[in-house]
Amino acid sequence: VYLSKPFGESGQHRWNNITMLEDDGGLWNRFDVEYTIDDNTIATAEFNKYGGDSNTQFGQLEESSNIQLGVKYSF
């Protein structure tokens, strides 16, 4: 399942959510926000949550759930 929606006065920012489910009960959920600072710079924040049965691909990654912050600059 993929959801995405712009926000801000001119819709220049965006939030996204991706959820993947495995047949055997594994789960990966990624939520991220992109905030446009100017024409060349975008700030990002991302949360990845893995879970489910330890015999599934995503379940094995449960302890690897993470938060990431970043800046993208285009030139």
Side-chain angles (χ1 to χ4, degrees), residues 13-42:
H13 316 301
R14 178 166 298 278
W15 67 264
N16 305 296
N17 193 75
I18 300 170
T19 301
M20 295 180 73
L21 304 171
E22 293 180 288
D23 291 338
D24 297 332
L27 163 75
W28 171 46
N29 188 68
R30 174 183 172 176
F31 177 77
D32 67 79
V33 177
E34 296 179 351
Y35 186 86
T36 302
I37 297 169
D38 59 35
D39 288 344
N40 298 330
T41 311
I42 299 174

Side-chain angles (χ1 to χ4, degrees), residues 47-67:
F47 173 67
N48 288 289
K49 173 65 178 153
Y50 302 97
D53 187 287
S54 62
N55 292 323
T56 62
Q57 179 177 344
F58 296 137
Q60 293 176 16
L61 297 172
E62 188 165 6
E63 293 185 19
S64 296
S65 296
N66 61 74
I67 295 173

